[in-house]
Amino acid sequence: MKVLFLNGPNLNLLGTRQPEIYGKTTLLDIERMVRQRAVDLKVEIDFRQTNDEGELVDWIQGSKGTVNAIVLNAAAYTHTSVALRDAITAVELPVIEIHLSNIHAREPFRHRSLISGVCRGQIAGFGAQSYLLGLLAAVNLTTSS
Ligand code: DQA
């Protein structure tokens, strides 16, 4: 079983970017945490980050037939990207939307996610743990379907 983790814009700055909201854990720390848990679960992990919307679309398109599920922190594109929504719809894979922060408790423009309606579910507000919860959700979806 293989799970693709995709991270959108500015998540490369985790650790120093608004630590009061996103915590002090870096994206590399999170990747290590995910990989460690994945060993126990016998899951192969592909973990990527980009600031480029088109690259995220390409990665989602390219994942068809190569992974069992996608765990996606689309960051700011969550709130703006019809292209990401359409790519998720087209790829016909289970996609789990995750966020470090609770987007529903923040500014009103973050309450709306353009991708939620085409994802299997959303995990938000648990900091770095959102990634581990996303991994568990991906494993459960894949093994129970
Ligand atoms: C985020 C929430 C988004 O609103 C924001 O633009 C991000 C990170 C999160 O993980 O909490 O960059 O996706």
Side-chain angles (χ1 to χ4, degrees), residues 4-124:
L4 175 62
F5 279 76
L6 295 182
N7 294 282
N10 301 306
L11 293 173
N12 53 314
L13 300 179
L14 284 181
T16 54
R17 173 193 180 204
Q18 294 181 281
E20 67 286 2
I21 294 177
Y22 298 115
K24 290 189 175 157
T25 314
T26 67
L27 193 60
L28 187 60
D29 294 333
I30 292 176
E31 179 178 350
R32 288 195 181 118
M33 248 170 52
V34 167
R35 288 192 183 282
Q36 208 169 353
R37 184 62 57 87
V39 171
D40 305 334
L41 295 168
K42 298 183 172 42
V43 177
E44 195 184 333
I45 300 294
D46 189 345
F47 198 100
R48 305 181 195 177
Q49 188 275 331
T50 179
N51 292 328
D52 184 333
E53 183 179 8
E55 193 160 32
L56 277 176
V57 169
D58 287 343
W59 285 344
I60 292 170
Q61 287 182 9
S63 67
K64 194 166 186 167
T66 70
V67 303
N68 299 90
I70 300 174
V71 178
L72 173 63
N73 186 350
Y77 294 140
T78 304
H79 316 295
T80 62
S81 180
V82 176
L84 269 188
R85 182 189 171 98
D86 288 349
I88 294 167
T89 306
V91 80
E92 293 174 336
L93 274 175
V95 179
I96 297 139
E97 175 184 358
I98 65 164
H99 301 283
L100 296 141
S101 63
N102 179 358
I103 55 174
H104 304 287
R106 298 184 61 194
E107 306 96 316
F109 69 85
R110 293 186 205 274
H111 298 180
R112 187 183 67 155
S113 164
L114 293 190
I115 62 172
S116 291
V118 292
C119 288
R120 293 295 291 268
Q122 184 193 70
I123 297 164

